[in-house]
């Protein structure tokens, strides 16, 4: 009989301990926010000994929580009154709120007492930190330590620390009456995610008890369930707190804002306003546009869907009970509670009983048997009849470059070609489909501050990189269009750039012209990203929603039409928001961020995404905007009805329509991937595929994942060429595989060279007009014009095959005339020109270094991009010697002027077989002669013979060696930057310093290895080899 109370008390004590433990995690996150977002002085630092930087999502979420509570406190402190003010923090934990306000606004706090209340044991520890920390103690003034058993643990003029259980209202009331003149004070009670851990009845009692104060405001911030307990975020959140043994108790009884409103009204509060944090985020009273934009400069951020989910599941409530019988909307501090009633209205509007237009359509679930389908922010595209691909995106561990292949049945996919691995990992990109399963991949990003500009075209069974975007972009929107001549093109609009700037440009890609900027005619469209774009006719369509740079969803819908008839290419845009709203009653649900527009047999559907201020109801995730017949009036927007969605019985939860991809294929609409990071509670993944299908279909085939596909970065290097295809192949490669002949081409446009560079494969451009140099430059001409007496530094070789590793040559300074005479007589010498001034510090610049012959040479205008981004330009004059095998980090073009030259090139993947030492960029292997190296049998050599007027494009990291085929050779070599960033910082005279990430990585590897120095050698080897395997795995996954 005596055991039962003890058991109950132990259970209660364990739960109280778990609740107090939530404080430890919370303050670490708030300390992370404080370090990044708040100016000094900082006060969380005294309660967090080991700070940790949280993710941008966690930082921004906690920042919004902290800012919302601070906003209410500011409004309270600014409210005019003669009464003493009291700010009571209920369940305060280690929150340093009193010290923050006394530090930043001591004037407003002169007549304020801050009261911290929490469990006695927690408050005891907090007070110990305060009295031991001068920076804290100095803010509250002279303190008096109270002795047990008094709940008052610390007392000063502006601060009270109370160790009291909030369930013991009698003791709490007595303590406050003893310390304060309660009837004469004006109170603000704050509770940030604390009341929800209490049992519902004691929590309700506490709320009713607080309403008995004469002049009081209550600020409550905690979780709620706007879409019910079955919403994926809600389920993830609830499981998280149950696992911590701190279940959220209030949400079951008061799941919606209207429920919380009634809760406080029933408790005696005269005025109540409750708004979600997502609603408040876009309220200019709480946050101005400039304040929202300023957050982006603190740390790169693009987790908008995750942030909106978090903010939509937290609310801020302000309740009033004052002596004044009337209260104005402003006296509640956070506006009006219109969203409570809108919440109920939207739920009723979307309910099945009020929507007959969706009869006959359901959302069917098709389960994946593996986790391979888990990816967010990828892009779907048709591959062949009944087969679709889902490319890129964010996987369970990192960004992806692979492609998931889905099929309705079991087709032959042996000939299916997915995007190549040379296409870097990316997310938030677009893939626009053409006829015959052709498509165009555009942009995307790696990190939020690293947008991508590369574009890839799949046509006639071949993937090839084409012209880059003028500006790197992600979160842009794209639409196929058909031109008058029947050719297909792609229109893109908006997006974000590398520096986080949101743009408002319209770009049109055509195969013959590349990217062209369209002038916007009519009313300008404000910059946005994450909008939805679709065609309705061949060259006209709709633009809906999108997000502004300050993070607010635009409530706008536009018509657009491409006009190429005038002097300039343009897009005519009309704002049709008013016409749309006059004819439809959907409300906020049509204006979205991250949603997609897709035509399918049901018509034009708006699928998923976020809406402003509140979450979409489940039944609003997919809206039908137009009937399947596209002959509609874009001026009126009639017949817009929400589709009712009925997940089939196999799906335990509704899919989370965020980060997904939708594609219409074979009479169905497939929805692939998607999910979200549910704040700090876990990640929810959509697994399997969903399909919008007609109920009348007797037997519907299911979409299922058949494989995850990749193709080699250099697929065309795997098949060797025949010896007959090789010119002058009298050398021995050390391999039974003869080198393939490098592709040869002619240039027609500047864009043509851009495609060559982007393809990152070597190409010989034949018969280029390089100026009069190809006719004038003989050895005698150069000697006469440059001057025989000019001093030059040359490589004087001891052997025909120069070897940088063995240094079988000397650097010799001699007159230019002597050098010319020597190589004319067969001397093994080589000139690689240096800068005429400060050659140890500056890269060579041909026009400056050799002004006497500069006008003889010119790059053709088609190579303008190489000229504009040039790092250096080098004059090369070679006698009968071989340049060693090496790679350059920068792209370069080798322009052959006089004589002929043979080059052998190897793709970057072959570096592991070519004996290049760590940290070096050259090999000792002589690829032009007999070699004992067996590794060459695993390589993929390519060969080129350059004649005067030929240009060889050498991509970055392609290893190459060169030698004249007869006598002497003269060439000009132009190195240029083809990356936007990533090159090594500091001096790089020869343009061959490895990328900054590699240099740093080698330094880090040395530090890692040194960490094992004190271990036994066998243990050290064990762990270092494991780390090496991890690096190999990362290298493979990066492909």
């Amino acid at each position: 009989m005596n055991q039962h109370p003890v058991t109950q008390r132990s259970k209660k004590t364990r739960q109280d301990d778990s609740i107090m433990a939530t404080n430890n995690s919370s303050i670490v996150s708030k300390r992370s926010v404080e370090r990044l977002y708040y100016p000094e002085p900082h006060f969380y630092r005294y309660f967090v000994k080991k700070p940790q930087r949280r993710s941008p999502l966690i930082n921004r979420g906690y920042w919004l929580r902290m800012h919302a509570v601070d906003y209410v406190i500011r409004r309270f402190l600014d409210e005019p009154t003669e009464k003493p003010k009291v700010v009571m923090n209920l369940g305060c934990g280690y929150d340093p709120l009193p010290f923050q306000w006394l530090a930043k606004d001591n004037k407003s706090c002169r007549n304020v007492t801050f009261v911290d209340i929490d469990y006695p044991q927690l408050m005891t520890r907090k007070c110990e930190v305060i009295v031991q920390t001068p920076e804290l103690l100095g803010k509250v003034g002279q303190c008096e330590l109270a002795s047990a058993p008094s709940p008052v643990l610390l007392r000063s003029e502006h601060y009270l620390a109370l160790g009291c259980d909030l369930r013991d209202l009698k003791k709490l009331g007595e303590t406050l009456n003893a310390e304060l003149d309660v009837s004469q004070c004006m109170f603000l009670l704050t509770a940030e995610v604390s009341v929800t851990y209490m049992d519902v009845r004691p929590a309700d009692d506490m709320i009713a008890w607080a309403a008995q104060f004469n002049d009081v405001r209550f600020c409550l911030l905690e979780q709620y369930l706007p879409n019910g307990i079955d919403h994926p975020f809600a389920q993830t959140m609830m499981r998280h707190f149950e696992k911590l043994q701190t279940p959220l108790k209030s949400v079951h009884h008061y799941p919606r804002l209207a429920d919380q409103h009634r809760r406080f009204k029933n408790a005696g509060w005269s005025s109540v306003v409750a708004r979600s944090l997502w609603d408040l985020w876009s309220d200019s009273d709480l946050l101005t546009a400039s304040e929202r934009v300023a957050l982006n400069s603190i740390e790169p951020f693009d987790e908008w869907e995750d942030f909106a989910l978090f903010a939509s599941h937290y609310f801020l409530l302000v309740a009033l009970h004052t002596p004044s019988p009337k209260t104005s909307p402003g006296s509640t501090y956070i506006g009006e509670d219109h969203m409570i009633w809108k919440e109920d209205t939207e739920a009723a509007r979307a309910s099945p009983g009020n929507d007959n237009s969706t009869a006959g359509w359901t959302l069917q679930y098709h389960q994946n048997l593996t986790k391979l389908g888990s990816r967010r922010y990828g892009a779907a595209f048709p591959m062949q009849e009944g087969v679709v691909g889902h490319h890129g995106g964010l996987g369970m561990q990192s960004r992806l470059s692979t492609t998931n292949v889905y099929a309705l049945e079991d087709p032959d996919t042996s000939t299916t070609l997915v995007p190549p691995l040379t296409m870097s990992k990316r997310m938030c990109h677009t893939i626009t489909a053409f006829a015959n399963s052709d498509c165009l991949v555009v942009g995307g990003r790696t990190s939020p501050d690293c947008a991508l500009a590369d574009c890839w075209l799949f046509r006639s069974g071949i993937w090839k990189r084409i012209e880059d975007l003028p500006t790197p972009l992600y979160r842009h929107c794209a639409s196929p269009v058909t031109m008058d001549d029947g050719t297909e093109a792609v229109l893109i609009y908006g997006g974000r750039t590398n520096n986080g700037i949101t743009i408002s440009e319209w770009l049109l890609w055509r195969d013959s012209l590349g990217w062209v900027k369209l002038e916007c005619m009519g009313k300008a469209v404000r910059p946005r990203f994450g909008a939805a774009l679709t065609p309705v006719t061949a060259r006209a369509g709709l633009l809906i929603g999108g997000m502004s740079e300050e993070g607010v969803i635009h409530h706008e819908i536009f018509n657009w039409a491409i006009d190429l008839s005038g002097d300039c290419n343009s897009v005519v845009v009309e704002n049709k928001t008013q016409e749309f709203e006059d004819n439809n009653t959907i409300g906020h649900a049509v204006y979205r961020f991250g949603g997609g527009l897709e035509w399918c047999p049901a018509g034009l559907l708006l699928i998923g995404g976020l809406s402003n201020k509140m979450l979409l109801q489940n039944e609003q995730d997919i809206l039908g905007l137009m009937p399947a017949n596209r002959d509609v009036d874009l001026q009126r927007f009639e017949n817009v009805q929400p589709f009712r969605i009925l997940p089939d019985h196999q799906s335990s939860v509704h899919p989370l329509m965020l980060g997904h991809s939708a594609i219409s294929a074979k009479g169905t609409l497939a929805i692939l991937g998607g999910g979200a990071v549910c704040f700090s509670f876990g990640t929810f993944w959509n697994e399997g595929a969903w399909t919008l299908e007609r109920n009348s279909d007797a037997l519907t085939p299911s979409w299922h994942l058949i494989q995850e596909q990749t193709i080699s970065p250099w697929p065309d290097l795997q098949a060797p060429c025949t010896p007959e295809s090789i010119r002058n192949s009298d050398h021995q490669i050390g391999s039974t595989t003869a080198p393939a002949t490098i592709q040869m081409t002619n240039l027609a446009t500047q864009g043509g060279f851009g495609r060559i560079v982007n393809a990152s494969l070597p190409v010989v451009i034949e018969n280029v007009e390089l100026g009069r140099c190809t006719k004038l430059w003989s050895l005698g001409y150069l000697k006469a014009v440059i001057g025989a007496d000019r001093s030059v530094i040359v490589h004087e070789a001891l052997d025909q095959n120069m070897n940088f590793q063995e240094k079988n040559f000397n650097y010799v300074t001699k007159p230019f005339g002597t050098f010319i005479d020597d190589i004319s007589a067969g001397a093994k010498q080589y000139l690689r020109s240096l800068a005429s001034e400060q050659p140890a510090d500056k890269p060579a610049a041909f026009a400056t270094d050799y002004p006497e012959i500069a006008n003889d040479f010119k790059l053709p205008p088609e190579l303008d991009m190489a000229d504009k981004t040039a790092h250096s330009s080098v004059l090369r004059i070679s006698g009968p010697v071989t340049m060693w095998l090496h790679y350059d980090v920068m792209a370069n073009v080798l322009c052959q002027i006089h004589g002929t030259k043979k080059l052998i090139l190897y793709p970057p993947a072959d570096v592991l077989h070519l004996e290049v030492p760590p940290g070096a960029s050259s090999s000792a292997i002589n690829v032009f002669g007999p070699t004992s190296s067996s590794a060459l049998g695993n390589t993929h050599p390519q060969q080129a013979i350059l004649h005067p007027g030929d240009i060889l494009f050498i991509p970055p990291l392609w290893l190459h060696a060169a030698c004249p085929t007869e006598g002497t050779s003269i060439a000009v070599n132009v190195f240029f930057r083809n990356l936007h960033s990533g090159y090594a910082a500091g001096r790089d005279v020869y343009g061959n310093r490895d990328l900054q990430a590699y240099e740093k990585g080698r330094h880090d590897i040395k530090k890692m290895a040194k960490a094992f120095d004190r271990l036994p050698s066998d243990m050290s080897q064990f762990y270092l080899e494991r780390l090496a395997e991890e690096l190999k795995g990362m290298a493979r996954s990066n492909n």
Side-chain angles (χ1 to χ4, degrees):
M1 295 293 293
N2 294 330
Q3 296 302 312
H4 183 68
V6 174
T7 302
Q8 289 294 101
R9 183 166 55 84
S10 299
K11 181 178 179 181
K12 173 181 173 296
T13 300
R14 288 197 301 272
Q15 186 169 15
D16 289 348
D17 289 342
S18 297
I19 293 171
M20 285 186 282
T22 64
N23 165 72
N24 297 331
S25 174
S26 175
I27 63 166
V28 171
S29 296
K30 290 185 174 182
R31 172 60 178 145
S32 176
V33 173
E34 180 183 57
R35 296 176 72 198
L36 289 173
Y37 288 76
Y38 284 80
E40 294 276 2
H42 291 168
F43 295 100
Y44 281 102
R45 59 160 44 113
Y46 305 114
F47 300 98
V48 180
K49 299 302 181 184
K50 294 183 178 180
Q52 302 174 31
R53 180 162 180 167
R54 299 298 201 201
S55 70
L57 170 63
I58 304 298
N59 285 335
R60 186 163 294 205
Y62 268 99
W63 179 89
L64 183 57
R65 278 176 48 169
M66 296 159 69
H67 180 80
V69 174
D70 280 354
Y71 176 81
V72 174
I73 294 173
R74 165 55 65 196
R75 294 292 301 271
F76 175 72
L77 295 179
D78 289 346
E79 195 168 343
T81 184
E82 297 298 322
K83 298 179 181 180
K85 294 181 178 180
V86 179
V87 178
M88 293 174 54
N89 194 350
L90 306 175
C92 63
Y94 290 157
D95 197 323
L97 183 151
F99 312 100
Q100 292 171 326
W101 280 99
L102 289 166
K104 68 183 177 184
D105 195 355
N106 188 262
K107 181 179 179 181
S108 296
C109 298
R110 284 181 301 183
N111 199 28
V112 179
T113 300
F114 292 93
V115 182
D116 278 350
I117 306 173
D118 213 319
Y119 290 103
Q121 54 269 52
L122 188 150
M123 289 304 299
T124 298
R125 293 195 293 270
K126 184 172 186 176
C127 289
E128 289 173 353
V129 174
I130 293 172
V131 297
Q132 295 170 9
T133 308
E135 292 85 354
L136 297 174
L137 202 58
K139 298 303 176 187
V140 296
Q142 186 64 38
C143 282
E144 176 186 344
L145 288 170
S147 57
S150 171
V152 180
L153 303 177
L154 200 63
R155 179 191 295 114
S156 76
E157 180 184 0
H158 292 290
Y159 183 63
L160 273 177
L162 304 185
C164 187
D165 193 324
L166 292 176
R167 294 165 293 198
D168 193 346
L169 298 176
K170 183 175 182 296
K171 180 185 287 187
L172 180 57
E174 291 173 350
T175 303
L176 291 173
N177 282 314
E179 297 293 328
L180 304 166
D181 188 355
V182 172
S183 63
Q184 298 302 312
C185 291
M186 180 176 172
F187 283 86
L188 171 64
L189 280 64
T190 66
E192 182 187 353
V193 192
S194 57
V195 174
T196 190
Y197 296 129
M198 299 174 64
D199 290 332
V200 175
R201 178 171 293 180
D204 288 350
D205 290 344
M206 190 265 292
I207 291 170
W209 166 82
Q212 297 172 15
F213 290 6
N214 184 47
D215 192 355
V216 63
R217 294 119 184 92
F218 200 117
C219 172
L220 177 68
L221 190 152
E222 61 186 35
Q223 302 91 336
Y224 79 118
L225 307 177
N227 279 15
I229 190 64
D230 290 332
H231 189 275
F233 184 99
Q235 288 197 336
T236 305
M237 177 176 70
M238 299 299 282
R239 283 196 298 267
H240 169 80
F241 285 104
E242 288 166 4
K243 184 177 180 180
L244 295 178
Q245 298 182 347
T246 56
L248 305 179
K249 298 178 179 179
S250 296
V251 293
H252 293 288
H253 287 76
Y254 308 107
R256 300 171 73 87
L257 296 181
D259 300 319
Q260 289 286 353
H261 186 277
R262 287 187 285 268
R263 178 191 198 185
F264 274 75
K265 278 288 190 177
N266 293 339
W269 293 86
S270 57
S271 177
V272 183
V273 175
R275 299 175 64 183
S276 76
L277 294 189
W278 183 233
D279 177 19
L280 289 169
W281 165 260
S282 58
D283 190 323
S284 58
D285 289 334
L286 183 81
L287 266 173
T288 66
S290 60
E291 287 174 323
R292 285 190 293 266
V293 171
L295 295 176
N296 297 330
S297 65
I298 297 173
E299 57 181 339
F301 184 82
D302 189 41
E303 291 80 6
W304 288 105
E305 290 88 347
D306 306 333
F307 176 65
L309 274 178
F310 152 78
S312 297
H313 282 81
Y314 280 72
F315 70 89
L316 183 69
L317 178 147
V318 177
L320 277 72
H321 182 76
T322 65
S324 174
K326 295 182 179 180
T327 58
S328 65
S331 63
T332 63
Y333 303 158
I334 59 171
E336 301 183 48
D337 52 7
H338 59 280
M339 291 304 294
I340 292 176
W341 317 122
K342 187 170 184 178
E343 181 183 78
D344 289 341
T345 302
E346 294 291 349
R349 180 181 294 149
S351 65
N354 293 328
D355 179 18
N356 296 321
S357 67
T358 63
W361 294 96
T362 58
L363 191 68
Q364 296 290 331
Y365 171 65
H366 308 295
Q367 183 180 11
N368 275 351
L369 299 178
T370 69
K371 297 283 187 180
L372 291 177
S374 299
R375 62 178 70 205
R376 301 182 288 133
Y377 307 109
F381 62 101
M383 302 180 72
Q384 63 188 59
E385 182 71 13
V387 180
V388 298
H390 192 202
H391 171 261
L394 184 64
M396 301 186 79
Q397 301 295 330
S398 63
R399 288 176 290 274
L400 303 171
S401 60
T402 56
T403 301
N404 286 335
V405 179
Y406 291 82
L408 281 175
E409 299 177 26
D410 293 310
D412 178 14
T413 59
S414 60
T415 60
T416 298
L417 288 178
V418 299
L421 295 180
T422 43
M423 189 188 303
S424 60
K425 296 179 178 181
R426 68 193 60 220
M427 57 189 287
C428 302
H429 55 301
T430 59
I431 303 183
T432 306
F434 301 133
N436 303 319
S437 298
D438 294 346
C439 58
L440 180 68
V441 180
V442 176
R445 71 168 177 86
T446 52
S447 61
D449 58 349
C450 186
L452 300 172
D454 57 326
C455 303
W456 297 74
L457 178 67
F458 181 72
R459 177 160 290 168
S460 302
I462 297 174
W463 283 97
K464 61 178 179 179
R465 186 171 173 180
I466 58 168
E467 303 87 357
D468 283 0
L469 288 165
T471 302
L473 287 177
Y474 65 94
R475 295 250 197 205
H476 52 281
C477 49
S479 171
V481 293
T482 304
M483 311 312 294
D484 285 337
D485 60 2
T487 59
E488 295 173 305
V490 174
L491 176 71
I492 69 169
Y493 169 74
R496 302 192 82 187
T497 64
N498 268 328
N499 53 12
I501 299 298
T502 304
I503 68 169
S504 184
E505 289 185 351
W506 297 83
L507 297 170
L508 182 68
W509 178 86
R510 302 174 70 179
D511 198 10
S512 57
L513 300 175
W515 290 105
V516 176
K517 182 178 179 180
L518 301 182
E519 183 178 351
C520 184
M521 310 297 289
K523 186 174 178 61
V525 183
R526 293 179 293 175
R528 66 196 63 209
F529 62 102
L533 189 73
T534 189
V536 177
T537 62
R539 290 183 305 284
L542 298 176
L543 172 70
I544 298 178
M547 183 174 281
S548 66
E549 187 165 338
E550 61 265 25
V552 175
I553 296 174
H554 287 297
H555 279 220
E556 292 174 320
I557 182 168
F558 297 89
N559 289 342
W560 56 264
I562 295 174
D563 182 5
L564 305 180
S565 61
D567 294 333
C568 64
N569 299 319
S570 64
V571 57
V572 180
V573 180
E574 296 180 273
N575 191 323
K576 292 296 179 180
T577 307
Q578 190 61 53
E579 289 88 340
F580 176 82
E581 294 184 351
D582 288 345
N583 286 280
N584 300 281
T585 58
I586 289 180
H588 77 291
V590 75
Y591 307 114
R592 305 188 183 190
F593 167 78
L597 288 166
E598 190 72 28
W599 287 96
C600 73
L604 178 61
L605 305 185
L606 177 60
I607 304 169
L610 298 171
S611 66
N612 221 9
K613 296 187 176 294
M614 62 183 296
L615 278 184
L616 294 168
Q617 296 294 314
N618 290 342
E619 293 81 2
Q620 296 171 318
D621 271 340
I622 300 181
L623 292 178
L625 296 186
M626 291 184 184
N629 180 5
R630 300 192 186 196
D631 187 17
V632 295
D633 182 4
L634 291 183
Q635 306 301 317
R636 295 184 58 81
F637 295 99
E638 295 177 337
N639 302 320
V640 179
Q641 293 293 334
F643 277 81
R644 182 176 63 170
I645 303 208
L646 298 174
D648 76 348
H649 66 279
Q650 297 182 59
S651 179
S652 59
V653 295
H654 191 281
L656 191 54
M657 294 290 187
L658 299 172
H660 61 284
S661 298
I663 183 169
S664 182
K666 207 169 182 180
T668 67
L669 178 78
I671 301 173
L672 310 174
V677 175
C678 301
F679 201 53
S680 57
F681 314 134
T683 302
F684 178 88
W685 295 94
N686 290 336
E687 296 176 1
W690 283 264
T691 308
L692 192 69
E693 298 168 356
R694 195 183 293 275
N695 288 339
S696 59
D697 292 345
L699 181 62
T700 303
S702 62
W703 284 100
H704 58 282
L705 179 66
I706 57 175
Q707 58 187 315
E708 182 175 67
Q709 285 194 352
T710 61
I711 62 175
S712 166
W714 295 285
D716 52 346
L717 300 186
Q718 306 307 313
C721 298
T722 60
E724 288 75 20
S725 66
I726 304 169
R727 290 180 294 169
N728 300 324
S729 55
D730 55 352
H731 63 281
Q732 299 178 23
I733 303 295
S735 163
T736 58
T737 300
T741 301
I742 291 174
Q743 177 186 351
M744 308 184 78
T745 187
N746 291 298
L747 282 178
T749 65
Q750 294 178 6
F753 183 65
R755 291 190 179 189
I756 289 172
V757 173
N758 291 340
S760 200
L761 293 171
V763 171
V764 175
I765 307 168
E766 295 182 290
N767 303 319
V768 179
E769 177 55 53
L770 296 173
R772 60 193 184 195
C773 58
T774 53
K775 297 179 180 178
L776 294 179
W777 285 12
S778 63
L779 296 181
Y781 173 83
L782 294 183
K783 179 178 177 181
V785 176
I786 293 174
D789 296 332
R790 174 170 173 169
S791 291
V792 291
I793 300 175
V794 301
H795 298 68
E796 198 169 78
L798 305 176
D799 185 90
Q800 181 177 351
N801 301 298
M802 291 194 295
N803 187 322
F804 188 80
Q805 297 292 333
E806 298 176 1
K807 293 292 192 302
N808 62 346
F809 57 86
N810 297 311
Y811 294 108
V812 177
T813 301
K814 62 174 59 179
F816 181 72
T818 302
F819 164 69
I820 293 296
D821 293 342
D822 288 348
I823 61 173
S824 298
K828 294 186 281 292
Q829 297 179 21
Y830 182 88
L831 169 66
R832 191 265 188 209
S833 68
L834 303 175
S836 56
E837 296 183 3
Q838 298 179 278
D841 298 315
K842 294 182 178 181
F846 170 72
T848 302
D849 302 333
Y850 291 91
E852 306 89 349
I853 58 173
N855 291 333
D856 294 346
F857 170 82
K858 64 177 182 180
L859 278 179
E862 292 87 352
L863 272 65
D864 185 54
M865 68 172 292
D867 197 31
K868 287 182 177 179
T869 60
H871 164 272
S872 57
S873 47
V874 178
L875 175 65
R876 296 185 183 273
I877 305 177
S878 176
V881 291
T882 298
M883 170 58 69
W884 56 83
L885 182 66
H886 68 285
Y887 66 82
D888 300 305
V889 176
M890 293 190 185
N892 66 93
V893 287
L894 182 63
C895 307
Q896 188 67 18
I897 311 296
H898 169 81
T900 58
K901 181 179 292 186
K902 179 186 295 184
L903 291 100
I904 298 175
L905 290 81
Y906 297 85
D910 285 353
V911 70
L912 298 178
H913 307 295
L914 294 173
E915 301 178 11
V916 179
S921 60
S922 64
S923 168
I925 297 175
N926 174 21
V927 298
F928 288 102
T931 175
S932 59
S933 175
S934 60
L936 289 181
N938 298 313
T939 61
H940 309 87
Q942 295 198 37
Q943 177 181 266
I945 305 293
L946 300 185
H947 299 272
D950 289 345
I951 295 178
L952 172 63
F953 167 66
I954 304 176
L957 307 184
W958 277 71
L959 293 98
H960 53 281
C963 71
T965 60
E966 51 185 36
T968 57
S969 167
I970 304 173
V972 174
N973 201 180
V974 179
F975 294 83
F976 61 97
R977 300 176 180 87
N978 68 312
L979 298 179
H980 295 286
S981 61
Y983 292 110
R987 187 177 61 180
D988 186 9
V989 174
Y990 297 101
N992 64 349
R993 275 188 61 184
D994 280 303
L995 294 179
Q996 188 173 24
Y998 177 71
E999 291 188 350
K1000 182 179 183 301
R1002 293 195 68 236
H1003 176 74
D1004 292 343
I1005 286 175
K1006 290 178 181 178
K1007 290 175 62 177
M1008 290 165 55
K1010 189 173 180 60
F1012 292 92
D1013 282 353
R1014 296 185 180 181
L1015 292 177
S1017 59
D1018 58 336
M1019 297 182 70
S1020 175
Q1021 180 179 354
F1022 173 84
Y1023 284 112
L1024 285 172
E1025 288 185 354
R1026 290 201 64 194
L1027 285 173
E1029 286 302 313
E1030 287 187 48
L1031 281 174
K1032 288 181 181 179
M1034 292 176 185
R1036 288 189 290 267
S1037 67
N1038 277 335
N1039 284 329

